[in-house]
Amino acid sequence: MSNIISSKEIILFIKSIPIGMANTLPGVSGGTIALVLGIYQKLLEAVKKFRFKTLILVGSGMALGIYVGASFISEFYTAKPLLTAYFLFGLVLTSARTTYKNIGSLKFLNLFFIVAGLITALYFSAGSSTLFLSSSRYILFFVGGFFGSIAMVLPGISGGTLLILIGLYQPLLNAVNSLDFLLIGIYLTGVVSGLISFAWAFSFLLNKFRANIMSLLTGLIIGSSAAVFPEQFVLEGVIYFIFAVALIILLEVSAKKFN
């Protein structure tokens, strides 16, 4: 009976579902949700030590979460695009708090990395990513998965925000909702490749250059908010914005209990 999935593994699968859902929402980090649920360290160790059973359980739960999240956000965006923009703008902008608080003192080099990240994000948010999208959809899905895996490795970094930066957010939602298994498979291949690479790379870089990395990521997150900036002012939108801000702050407060 030792090969039967235990109750702890079932719980791990269930906890992985909201992590997948988080990766469909710009501004919400899958890594942060993993911290909130108390399984972040376990996931990082599973990737670094190639614990395949744990990875399969987590991957399956995340896949289900991504499908549920993609369906919800697509329907909400179709029904209320402007209000969705307010909500996403609040999520993205407020999520920069997580990385900013990890910078420490604002030295010149840290400020440089913030500005560099900001300029880079604004460049892609202005539409440069669509050129990449039109050149090779399959390559873009692999690259999106590769860099999107950052959100699963590093708390505070949103997979949805990174997808917006490279122009893959809406195409991926469409692929999930239409069950385009070819594109989904290419994306997941990129995710697996990225997880294997970034789990080790970030462990090293964060130990050596934590403040600089957090500065760069803060600039990227703030700049990427331009991609979901509401086109017009509506009072109801402010309510959605405030709700998004409160949601991110609540996640940050909750995450501290699991550190």
Side-chain angles (χ1 to χ4, degrees), residues 3-252:
N3 292 327
I4 296 177
I5 297 177
S6 66
S7 59
K8 289 185 178 181
E9 290 170 333
I10 293 175
I11 292 174
L12 179 62
F13 170 81
I14 294 173
K15 285 185 174 182
S16 301
I17 295 175
I19 297 176
M21 294 178 67
N23 285 310
T24 66
L25 293 172
V28 182
S29 165
T32 298
I33 299 300
L35 270 177
V36 171
L37 297 173
I39 59 175
Y40 175 73
Q41 192 61 42
K42 185 174 185 177
L43 298 184
L44 192 61
E45 289 298 315
V47 173
K48 293 173 65 176
K49 297 181 180 180
F50 298 99
R51 294 173 180 165
F52 292 107
K53 189 174 184 179
T54 300
L55 294 176
I56 290 173
L57 285 170
V58 173
S60 300
M62 287 181 59
L64 178 59
I66 288 172
Y67 179 74
V68 173
S71 301
F72 170 77
I73 193 65
S74 293
E75 291 181 7
F76 186 54
Y77 182 81
T78 300
K80 300 181 178 181
L82 183 58
L83 295 181
T84 304
Y86 271 94
F87 180 72
L88 296 179
F89 182 64
L91 289 179
V92 175
L93 201 60
T94 311
S95 67
R97 285 167 42 92
T98 304
T99 49
Y100 178 78
K101 289 190 296 185
N102 280 277
I103 294 175
S105 59
L106 277 180
K107 300 178 181 179
F108 174 78
L109 189 58
N110 294 337
L111 288 172
F112 171 81
F113 278 109
I114 290 177
V115 173
L118 179 64
I119 293 175
T120 301
L122 289 174
Y123 173 76
F124 281 102
S125 297
S128 300
S129 57
T130 58
L131 297 176
F132 189 21
L133 178 62
S134 62
S135 63
S136 177
R137 185 169 59 158
Y138 299 117
I139 291 178
L140 182 64
F141 268 74
F142 178 84
V143 171
F146 187 85
F147 287 103
S149 64
I150 295 175
M152 305 171 202
V153 175
L154 190 62
I157 305 305
S158 165
T161 300
L162 292 175
L163 292 177
I164 285 176
L165 283 175
I166 62 175
L168 190 61
Y169 184 66
Q170 193 60 46
L172 181 59
L173 291 185
N174 294 337
V176 172
N177 287 326
S178 63
L179 295 179
D180 189 329
F181 293 111
L182 175 59
L183 291 179
I184 294 173
I186 293 173
Y187 176 79
L188 291 178
T189 301
V191 169
V192 172
S193 301
L195 282 174
I196 294 173
S197 303
F198 287 123
W200 288 98
F202 272 117
S203 294
F204 172 78
L205 292 175
L206 283 174
N207 287 332
K208 296 291 184 180
F209 312 103
R210 184 178 185 86
N212 293 338
I213 291 177
M214 289 297 174
S215 299
L216 179 65
L217 295 175
T218 298
L220 284 171
I221 294 173
I222 295 174
S224 68
S225 66
V228 290
F229 188 82
E231 296 180 355
Q232 65 185 73
F233 176 81
V234 293
L235 185 59
E236 188 178 2
V238 176
I239 297 175
Y240 278 80
F241 176 86
I242 294 174
F243 175 72
V245 171
L247 178 61
I248 293 297
I249 293 176
L250 178 62
L251 288 174
E252 289 182 346

